[in-house]
Amino acid sequence: MARRKGRVKDKWREKQWVKAMAPDSFNNIELAYIPVTSNEGALGRVIEVTLFDILKGDPSQHNYKIYFQIDKVEEERATTIFKRFEYSKEFLRSLVRRGSSKINFTLDVKTSDGYVFRVKLIVLTQRQLNTSRQHALRLLARDVINKIVPEMTVEQFVQATCYSKINSDITASFKKVIKARHVGLEKVKLIRTAEKETILLEA
C-alpha cells in the first residue's frame, strides 16, 4: 500500500520581507531588503555592505566593508547598529610592498556615550624604519586616538572611522616624524554597547 505524501511546506511563503535600515550615522538609508522567518529570529542578523553601497561615490570605496547588526524589527522595517568596519582582503594585499615597514597596533577606545570599540591601525611607510621610529609612530597614533575618540559620540566616531577623518588626524601628527605612504584604521569592531556597559556597572 502506497504511503500518502504529506504536503510540503513552502518555507519562502512563510517568510516576511523587511527593509534593513542603516543607523543615524548613515542617515538611515536602506541597506537591504531581506527575508526573515520572524521578528525575533531576525535579531542579531548581520548585514554586509561596502562604503560604496552607502555613498555611491568613488569606486575605490568598494575596498571598505561595513557590517551592521539588526537590533529591532517593527512591522516591515528593521533598524541596525554599526558592528564592524574593515579593509577588504584584496585591498590589504595591494597595499603591502617590499622595502617598506608595516606597522600595526590594536587598542580599545570608548566614546563619550559609553560604546567600546577595538581599533586596529595599519601604517605603511615609503622605506624601512628602525624599531625606535616605529615605536614613535605607534605612540603618536595612540595619543591622537586617545585624545579625540573619548570626545565623540558613537555616531561621530563611526563617521570619523568610515569617512577617514581619524586617518587624516593621525597622518597629520606623523609629519613631525616621517611621511607615511598609508595610514588607516584597518579594522574597527564594536565590542560593547552603552546599554551593556550600564548593566555591567550596575552588577
Side-chain angles (χ1 to χ4, degrees):
M1 186 175 178
R3 291 184 179 180
R4 294 182 62 186
K5 292 184 178 180
R7 181 176 294 178
V8 178
K9 287 186 177 181
D10 186 342
K11 293 183 178 180
W12 281 101
R13 285 180 176 272
E14 295 178 355
K15 292 180 181 293
Q16 66 182 67
W17 289 79
V18 298
K19 292 180 180 179
M21 314 301 293
D24 292 342
S25 46
F26 294 96
N27 298 320
N28 306 113
I29 69 166
E30 184 179 334
L31 296 171
Y33 192 49
I34 58 174
V36 299
T37 304
S38 66
N39 289 358
E40 294 75 16
L43 299 180
R45 181 168 172 178
V46 176
I47 298 169
E48 175 188 339
V49 298
T50 68
L51 187 59
F52 181 82
D53 294 327
I54 294 174
L55 299 181
K56 307 296 184 185
D58 188 335
S60 67
Q61 293 165 348
H62 283 295
N63 294 323
Y64 309 106
K65 294 184 177 183
I66 308 175
Y67 299 81
F68 298 93
Q69 187 173 50
I70 295 176
D71 68 336
K72 186 185 297 183
V73 180
E74 292 181 351
E75 296 181 353
E76 297 180 354
R77 181 185 175 95
T79 60
T80 64
I81 60 172
F82 171 86
K83 183 69 175 178
R84 192 165 85 247
F85 167 91
E86 65 184 22
Y87 287 2
S88 69
K89 293 180 181 179
E90 297 78 11
F91 178 53
L92 200 54
R93 282 196 296 266
S94 72
L95 292 174
V96 180
R97 297 177 187 171
R98 290 183 179 180
S100 66
S101 291
K102 176 184 175 183
I103 304 166
N104 285 110
F105 80 88
T106 304
L107 75 160
D108 292 352
V109 293
K110 183 190 287 188
T111 62
S112 62
D113 44 0
Y115 288 76
V116 180
F117 292 87
R118 182 153 295 149
V119 174
K120 182 180 181 182
L121 181 78
I122 183 172
V123 179
L124 296 160
T125 61
Q126 298 285 0
R127 55 188 174 81
Q128 289 190 345
L129 301 182
N130 58 35
T131 303
S132 62
R133 299 197 81 181
Q134 290 186 32
H135 181 64
L137 292 179
R138 287 190 181 94
L139 290 178
L140 281 172
R142 183 176 285 110
D143 288 346
V144 170
I145 292 171
N146 284 333
K147 179 181 179 181
I148 64 176
V149 174
E151 297 178 353
M152 295 177 175
T153 63
V154 64
E155 288 83 7
Q156 291 170 336
F157 172 74
V158 169
Q159 290 177 347
T161 294
C162 298
Y163 303 153
S164 301
K165 173 65 168 62
I166 296 176
N167 300 352
S168 299
D169 289 347
I170 296 172
T171 301
S173 73
F174 282 177
K175 290 181 179 179
K176 305 171 186 176
V177 179
I178 195 171
K179 184 178 180 180
R181 180 164 57 83
H182 180 85
V183 178
L185 299 182
E186 176 186 338
K187 189 172 184 177
V188 175
K189 181 180 179 181
L190 175 66
I191 59 175
R192 194 161 61 210
T193 65
E195 291 79 9
K196 289 185 179 179
E197 174 68 6
T198 301
I199 293 170
L200 289 172
L201 290 173
E202 290 175 352

